[in-house]
Amino acid sequence: MARRCYGSTSVVAFLMVCAALVSVINVGQLSVFLRTKRHTAYGPDTGLYSIGYTLRGNLSMESCQAVPDSLVGKLNIDLGAALKSPTPSKHQDMLPGGAWSPKSCVSRQRISIIIPFRDRQAHLDILVYNLVPVLKRQKVAFRIFVVEQFGNKTFNKGRLMNIGFTEARKHDEFDCFIFHDVDLIPEDDRNMYTCSDNPRHMSPALDKFNYTMLYKSLVGGVLSFRDKHFTKVNGYSNLYWGWGAEDDDMHKRLSASKLSVERPSITIGRYTMIKHDKKDVSSVRLSLLKTSTTRYLKDGLNTLEYKLVETRLEKLWTRIIANVGDPPKNQTENPL
Ligand code: BGC
């Protein structure tokens, strides 16, 4: 930004350009970012079209506490509240595109929340309404990416998560990527939205299953990764169309890459699942699973293909709309 301002021909023009930029960005957060121009985004909801920002923070401040005093522990989830009171008015301190950073300290990590999405706007509103206050109390710098599948072909969650990871890295340097189902609401803010030394399955205990872990290798729901770990497992498989097993395939990738999975205890790693119908269950998912270990290095981030339809900086998230392609007419067990 500075370079652009200096490029203005007169002092008056310089001041006017800077004032205009300041006015479209929440002034309270100015110290936080405005460092680089990394990306051009387009969107009807924002006046901010071509300014990149980074969640690096004001490095002259102290690091935030690893476990901040602001945590409250177990939460009372009211799923209806989000629909009664619109979230944006509560979060004026967020930057367009759904980013926030603590003002009183420097967040230890910059996290990217990646939500694969289609047709579940009410669920997204409920999640964000509940999740954002948790992240703020945890004092983590975050940016939310909603990765929406374009069109109405069978859903491919694995591709969307790979796209989220690929696109998020174009916007900022993140320390941690958290893949988050849109229908899971955290019940305890001690479940930190940060990355540890190993990938962490943050949602072992769902209300739907009476807060017990369904099976030992479960990694579905909410899963956090360091960049190097997600790259090491080659991301998610691109081959699972329809509901089920892309997460089980991820567990096999983790094991094959010799990465162990951490979990919070089942008293803290609790989530409420928003009820919905399960549709389009994949018929080949179990056969595909059989070949994940031999296939994973040639099916994932390194073979991901998609067409970016639009990136929109909306108030509470960056919406990435992508065309993930069409499912094969007759999917075989292992098309590779
Ligand atoms: C599916 C997973 C899912 C799990 C819990 C398994 O049968 O393969 O994708 O996360 O059930 O619902």
Side-chain angles (χ1 to χ4, degrees):
M1 184 185 77
R3 242 182 281 125
R4 287 186 191 178
C5 293
Y6 291 136
S8 305
T9 48
S10 72
V11 174
V12 176
F14 167 82
L15 290 173
M16 283 174 69
V17 171
C18 290
L21 288 175
V22 168
S23 70
V24 294
I25 296 163
N26 190 315
V27 180
Q29 298 235 334
L30 246 194
S31 62
V32 200
F33 336 92
L34 297 189
R35 186 179 59 89
T36 47
K37 177 194 176 312
R38 310 176 66 86
H39 181 77
T40 302
Y42 307 90
D45 294 338
T46 167
L48 195 64
Y49 284 94
S50 56
I51 300 168
Y53 54 80
T54 169
L55 294 169
R56 187 178 296 287
N58 178 346
L59 297 177
S60 62
M61 288 191 292
E62 286 195 4
S63 292
C64 300
Q65 295 164 292
V67 182
D69 298 335
S70 37
L71 300 184
V72 297
K74 194 169 160 29
L75 309 169
N76 290 319
I77 306 297
D78 174 1
L79 294 182
L83 306 175
K84 282 182 231 136
S85 136
T87 306
S89 59
K90 290 191 170 48
H91 297 295
Q92 300 295 352
D93 55 349
M94 282 174 69
L95 288 168
W100 181 89
S101 176
K103 294 186 190 65
S104 56
C105 54
V106 182
S107 173
R108 287 167 180 258
Q109 295 182 10
R110 284 169 285 171
I111 69 162
S112 163
I113 310 262
I114 295 172
I115 306 171
F117 178 85
R118 189 169 67 191
D119 285 344
R120 301 254 205 108
Q121 191 55 47
H123 293 183
L124 180 60
D125 291 339
I126 297 171
L127 171 61
V128 171
Y129 178 95
N130 286 280
L131 179 60
V132 167
V134 167
L135 298 170
K136 288 183 175 179
R137 285 199 297 277
Q138 295 186 345
K139 298 199 190 306
V140 287
F142 66 88
R143 181 158 174 175
I144 298 174
F145 292 88
V146 172
V147 195
E148 178 169 343
Q149 183 167 329
F150 179 78
N152 52 14
K153 299 270 164 57
T154 310
F155 199 58
N156 191 316
K157 193 169 160 188
R159 286 189 191 201
L160 292 173
M161 292 191 278
N162 288 342
I163 293 168
F165 175 76
T166 308
E167 291 294 321
R169 286 159 107 215
K170 296 181 187 167
H171 290 262
D172 204 345
E173 288 158 22
F174 293 103
D175 304 298
C176 178
F177 296 83
I178 302 182
F179 298 91
H180 207 301
D181 280 2
V182 71
D183 54 4
L184 291 186
I185 313 301
E187 292 187 12
D188 195 310
D189 65 7
R190 290 169 294 180
N191 192 9
M192 290 297 293
Y193 275 73
T194 47
C195 275
S196 352
D197 293 338
N198 295 301
R200 187 148 42 98
H201 180 224
M202 297 176 56
S203 56
L206 308 188
D207 63 338
K208 184 179 176 188
F209 305 122
N210 294 324
Y211 301 109
T212 53
M213 216 168 95
L214 263 196
Y215 48 94
K216 236 178 111 203
S217 60
L218 183 71
V219 291
V222 184
L223 184 60
S224 76
F225 280 95
R226 298 260 181 202
D227 190 311
K228 62 179 179 191
H229 293 146
F230 196 66
T231 311
K232 186 170 186 192
V233 298
N234 198 17
Y236 281 89
S237 166
N238 297 313
L239 300 178
Y240 290 79
W241 296 90
W243 181 90
E246 79 294 327
D247 49 349
D248 303 319
D249 186 287
M250 171 53 77
H251 185 264
K252 288 184 180 282
R253 289 167 182 248
L254 289 161
S255 307
S257 312
K258 308 223 173 327
L259 289 172
S260 37
V261 177
E262 295 180 14
R263 289 190 178 81
S265 71
I266 54 165
T267 49
I268 287 180
R270 293 190 167 211
Y271 284 77
T272 298
M273 184 186 260
I274 306 172
K275 291 187 179 55
H276 58 91
D277 296 334
K278 201 194 299 177
K279 46 181 183 182
D280 273 345
V281 178
S282 160
S283 57
V284 293
R285 66 190 196 286
L286 298 179
S287 333
L288 266 177
L289 258 187
K290 289 185 192 144
T291 54
S292 41
T293 310
T294 49
R295 181 178 24 84
Y296 81 102
L297 290 176
K298 40 188 187 250
D299 162 30
L301 284 175
N302 63 357
T303 54
L304 177 66
E305 285 182 18
Y306 64 99
K307 190 169 175 312
L308 183 62
V309 177
E310 194 179 357
T311 299
R312 284 193 219 148
L313 299 190
E314 297 181 8
K315 288 194 176 70
L316 298 172
W317 48 73
T318 297
R319 189 185 295 261
I320 290 168
I321 305 174
N323 188 336
V324 303
D326 296 347
K329 292 223 161 50
N330 292 307
Q331 186 168 11
T332 57
E333 295 177 9
N334 182 5
L336 293 180

